[in-house]
Amino acid sequence: MRICLYGSGSRKIDKKYTDDAYELGRIMAKYGHTLVFGGGDTGMMGACAKGVHNNDGKSIGIAPEWIGDFEPLCEECSEFIYVDTMDERKNKFVENSDAFIISPGGIGTLDEFFEIITLKKLKQHDKKIIVFNIDGFYNKMLEMIDEMSEKGFLYKQEELYQIANDLNEIEEYLKTNALD
């Protein structure tokens, strides 16, 4: 399965997050899944990619060439797809992925997360989405989404995403192919 990871490329992330991202990559490689990601060599993306590559896994990086002005690109990718814009990048994530994992990140990650769940809500895809809520990183955002629903701004007609609070929960999804 090709699994897209959304997550920060920041170099300032606490090691507890990047350690979990590395382990996520190791687990993906262990079960033969391919990482699809933004192609960055740092932060959550870079740590997960290192976990994949150090364990003989495969990866597909997707990024505009100019993103290298902001963060280094991963050179170990099995395949790299260059695009012109961030919108094209997000479209390529959807085209090239069977499932999505949202790890801790910043504004770009939130943009990707809300777009992918909106597309699922609008029935533009039916792919599994997992929020990797390391150390409760997304608790406040998830509470806000619940409040939006309670106040009638969102319809909870179906489950749009699942939450995994630790690596054991993620591994259960990956080893049983519950993301299919």
Side-chain angles (χ1 to χ4, degrees), residues 41-100:
D41 200 39
T42 56
M44 299 299 285
M45 288 188 292
C48 187
K50 284 175 183 65
V52 166
H53 301 142
N54 290 348
N55 292 279
D56 301 319
K58 294 181 181 168
S59 68
I60 301 170
I62 302 173
E65 288 187 53
W66 54 260
I67 203 94
D69 295 340
F70 297 92
E71 60 191 32
L73 295 176
C74 179
E75 296 179 6
E76 291 84 28
C77 292
S78 311
E79 178 183 351
F80 210 100
I81 300 170
Y82 288 101
V83 295
D84 293 324
T85 67
M86 296 300 275
D87 282 339
E88 188 181 354
R89 179 192 206 190
K90 289 187 291 185
N91 289 335
K92 291 288 183 190
F93 287 150
V94 175
E95 289 173 26
N96 288 281
S97 302
D98 302 309
F100 298 86

Side-chain angles (χ1 to χ4, degrees), residues 10-141:
S10 173
R11 295 180 184 103
K12 299 177 183 180
I13 299 169
D14 188 297
K15 191 171 173 356
K16 69 182 171 189
Y17 296 108
T18 53
D19 285 351
D20 274 4
Y22 180 90
E23 284 301 305
L24 173 60
R26 183 191 64 74
I27 292 167
M28 288 175 70
K30 175 181 174 180
Y31 294 105
H33 302 301
T34 298
L35 169 67
V36 178
F37 72 119
D41 200 39
T42 56
M44 299 299 285
M45 288 188 292
C48 187
K50 284 175 183 65
V52 166
H53 301 142
N54 290 348
N55 292 279
D56 301 319
K58 294 181 181 168
S59 68
I60 301 170
I62 302 173
E65 288 187 53
W66 54 260
I67 203 94
D69 295 340
F70 297 92
E71 60 191 32
L73 295 176
C74 179
E75 296 179 6
E76 291 84 28
C77 292
S78 311
E79 178 183 351
F80 210 100
I81 300 170
Y82 288 101
V83 295
D84 293 324
T85 67
M86 296 300 275
D87 282 339
E88 188 181 354
R89 179 192 206 190
K90 289 187 291 185
N91 289 335
K92 291 288 183 190
F93 287 150
V94 175
E95 289 173 26
N96 288 281
S97 302
D98 302 309
F100 298 86
I101 296 176
I102 295 95
S103 69
I107 298 298
T109 304
L110 292 178
D111 173 52
E112 292 162 340
F113 171 65
F114 284 111
E115 181 166 329
I116 204 66
I117 63 170
T118 299
L119 290 172
K120 185 169 183 174
K121 177 69 176 169
L122 297 173
K123 303 205 183 306
Q124 298 304 297
H125 74 84
D126 191 28
K127 301 172 184 183
K128 293 285 187 189
I129 302 169
I130 306 272
V131 177
F132 191 12
N133 193 29
I134 301 170
D135 200 33
F137 184 85
Y138 283 117
N139 284 353
K140 290 182 180 178
M141 183 189 76

